Amino acid sequence: MKIGLFGFGCVGQGLWKVLHETKGVKAEIGRICIKNAEKPRPLPAHFFTTNPDDILNDPDIDIVVELIDDAETAFRLVSAALKQGKSVVTANKKMIAHHLPELHALQQKTGASLLYEGACCASIPIIRNLEEYYDNDLLTSVEGIFNGTTNYILSKVFEENKTFDEALQLAQENGFAESDPRLDLEGFDPKYKLCILLLHAFGVFVEPEAVFHFGIHRLNAFDAEFARRRGGSLKLVARCYRQGDQVGAYCIPRFVPGNHRYASVRNEYNAVTLESAFSEQQVFVGKGAGDKPTGCAVLSDISALRYQYKYEYRKWQQNGSFFNTSDTELQLYVRYSTGASVADADFTEITERFMSGDTHYTIGRIPVRKLQRAAWLSDPRVSVVEIN
Ligand code: HSE
């Protein structure tokens, strides 16, 4: 197998390393297309090109691996490769989440395979499991810690008393964060992964814009202390679930008691919990970010292409579900400063209030549909955490 690789950043170099350390997969990287020809590279110059056609039009290249960070350029390259009949492996969750219907249609039309295990929780083999192992079980929910950067930051804040800023810098130095770290911090990245899993778990195409998300960007030392006093910590949790024929999803920071299974999921590790009718609860834990863990998932997809593996999107074929999160209610801690106008009317029920100096919080139940429309949530003085 000859691979044409787009991008040679953290994950691209991770793939290079795992490909050369493994004995199992006989594949070679023939060409690497990069954006910046001036940047020093750890490989001889003959590997590199800045012209995508050197890969797309090379008949010797049968597999295209796309690992760049610009989602729209990635979509054009992946579409072009599929149209050329080349199989594609990508780890670009933003691109996939925004273009799932088109990418699905292109696979049907061209017969080429598109695999993206590395896009969801890096080293945890969740997509292929949902496709193959859980095709007959009645899944009721898929949730977990889907972002390594924010989990790393929260671990450093809770366990080593680092500030949020110090912890972010360390996550960036380790290559866990996106080039634009707001995608991690504000919860976009785990939401993209959630949209992909929604299709493989429940068979629904859901645009990222339809899913409520809130990240860890507003959390502060007071919120961390609130969680500590209650005997736990905070984790950014993404969740999708089925109720009857309706499917819902959201992503929000959650208070996790010290004895909860997520409490021991630390640093860049991710966790995925599946609930289903027959097998009940199962938890997968593994590294969710980093060069080799993500490179390893990409390698596993390359390996699967040796036997012409394709996603069958079986849940979509069986589907009778539709997406509607509106009726779900969350038990929330809403912390705000004087002057921020958190609307009491959005709460179905209020169980606790706190006021001291400039810091206030309200605990109560709010339907997700109200959160999706709440103007007060865009106020930088407001933060929210789900508590159970
Ligand atoms: N920035 C992502 C994360 C990389 O931290 O989880 C892996 O998808």
Side-chain angles (χ1 to χ4, degrees):
M1 291 190 295
K2 199 159 175 196
I3 298 168
L5 174 62
F6 286 97
F8 204 56
C10 174
V11 181
Q13 294 181 44
L15 173 65
W16 178 275
K17 288 179 208 159
V18 295
L19 195 56
H20 288 86
E21 283 173 33
T22 183
K23 292 194 172 37
V25 184
K26 300 267 174 292
E28 61 161 317
I29 295 178
R31 224 62 208 287
I32 305 172
C33 183
I34 44 157
K35 193 166 64 178
N36 183 353
E38 309 306 320
K39 213 163 159 179
R41 305 283 174 179
L43 297 178
H46 67 83
F47 278 105
F48 296 100
T49 174
T50 52
N51 182 0
D53 289 340
D54 288 344
I55 288 178
L56 296 171
N57 296 336
D58 182 342
D60 290 339
I61 288 179
D62 26 42
I63 297 176
V64 166
V65 177
E66 180 284 305
L67 299 172
I68 67 173
D69 69 355
D70 169 356
E72 286 315 304
T73 307
F75 177 61
R76 283 197 295 279
L77 294 170
V78 168
S79 305
L82 290 170
K83 284 179 190 157
Q84 295 270 25
K86 295 186 193 295
S87 293
V88 179
V89 177
T90 173
N92 199 321
K93 48 265 156 138
K94 182 176 180 185
M95 183 275 288
I96 302 165
H98 280 107
H99 294 286
L100 264 175
E102 297 110 297
L103 293 169
H104 177 258
L106 265 175
Q107 290 172 81
Q108 304 294 314
K109 195 169 150 203
T110 61
S113 175
L114 172 69
L115 303 180
Y116 40 81
E117 190 63 72
C120 287
C121 306
S123 72
I124 300 178
I126 188 62
I127 299 177
R128 235 181 295 163
N129 266 305
L130 288 172
E131 280 280 302
E132 305 302 324
Y133 188 88
Y134 294 93
D135 68 329
N136 293 311
D137 203 349
L138 298 174
L139 282 168
T140 48
S141 91
V142 178
E143 67 144 58
I145 300 168
F146 295 174
N147 183 267
T149 300
T150 47
N151 204 46
Y152 181 91
I153 292 172
L154 292 169
S155 301
K156 296 288 166 201
V157 167
F158 276 91
E159 293 165 23
E160 296 175 26
N161 279 316
K162 299 253 185 251
T163 65
F164 281 90
D165 287 343
E166 285 165 350
L168 169 61
Q169 198 180 336
L170 286 171
Q172 288 176 306
E173 284 166 15
N174 279 300
F176 304 146
E178 300 300 301
S179 322
D180 176 358
R182 283 177 307 177
L183 295 176
D184 299 297
L185 299 176
E186 296 182 18
F188 288 96
D189 177 86
K191 176 167 87 164
Y192 298 148
K193 294 164 180 164
L194 190 60
C195 290
I196 298 170
L197 295 184
L198 272 162
L199 178 58
H200 292 279
F202 298 121
V204 289
F205 286 101
V206 182
E207 291 185 0
E209 290 68 30
V211 178
F212 172 75
H213 77 280
F214 201 86
I216 69 161
H217 55 302
R218 303 260 188 80
L219 296 178
N220 65 14
F222 182 89
D223 303 323
E225 191 51 29
F226 169 85
R228 267 193 206 103
R229 285 209 195 148
R230 291 195 164 218
S233 60
L234 301 174
K235 300 281 181 188
L236 184 57
V237 176
R239 175 164 184 257
C240 58
Y241 50 92
R242 186 171 58 199
Q243 277 166 339
D245 55 2
Q246 296 191 13
V247 175
Y250 59 87
C251 172
I252 196 166
R254 186 190 287 178
F255 167 74
V256 170
N259 59 1
H260 190 277
R261 61 184 179 278
Y262 293 161
S264 58
V265 179
R266 301 166 53 245
N267 296 329
E268 74 272 31
Y269 276 80
N270 282 188
V272 183
T273 304
L274 303 179
E275 306 261 1
S276 65
F278 306 142
S279 44
E280 300 188 5
Q281 190 180 79
Q282 287 173 302
V283 187
F284 297 70
V285 176
K287 285 198 172 178
D291 59 354
K292 285 189 179 178
T294 316
C296 154
V298 173
L299 180 68
S300 173
D301 280 347
I302 294 170
S303 175
L305 289 173
R306 284 185 303 181
Y307 51 91
Q308 282 79 45
Y309 181 73
K310 285 180 184 161
Y311 298 140
E312 288 182 37
Y313 298 95
R314 288 186 208 151
K315 305 289 170 33
W316 177 72
Q317 292 175 18
Q318 301 158 2
N319 142 340
S321 310
F322 62 96
F323 184 73
N324 174 17
T325 310
S326 349
D327 298 333
T328 304
E329 266 188 18
L330 303 181
Q331 172 81 359
L332 291 186
Y333 150 98
V334 181
R335 193 256 312 142
Y336 53 100
S337 314
T338 313
S341 48
V342 172
D344 277 1
D346 284 343
F347 287 81
T348 317
E349 179 190 44
I350 291 178
T351 46
E352 198 177 320
R353 277 191 193 282
F354 171 90
M355 285 186 188
S356 171
D358 189 37
T359 303
H360 311 227
Y361 68 75
T362 304
I363 293 178
R365 300 190 71 76
I366 308 185
V368 172
R369 70 167 179 280
K370 295 253 169 90
L371 286 173
Q372 281 177 303
R373 291 185 211 131
W376 50 266
L377 255 191
S378 54
D379 186 327
R381 296 168 293 188
V382 178
S383 176
V384 290
V385 173
E386 185 185 10
I387 56 175
N388 285 317

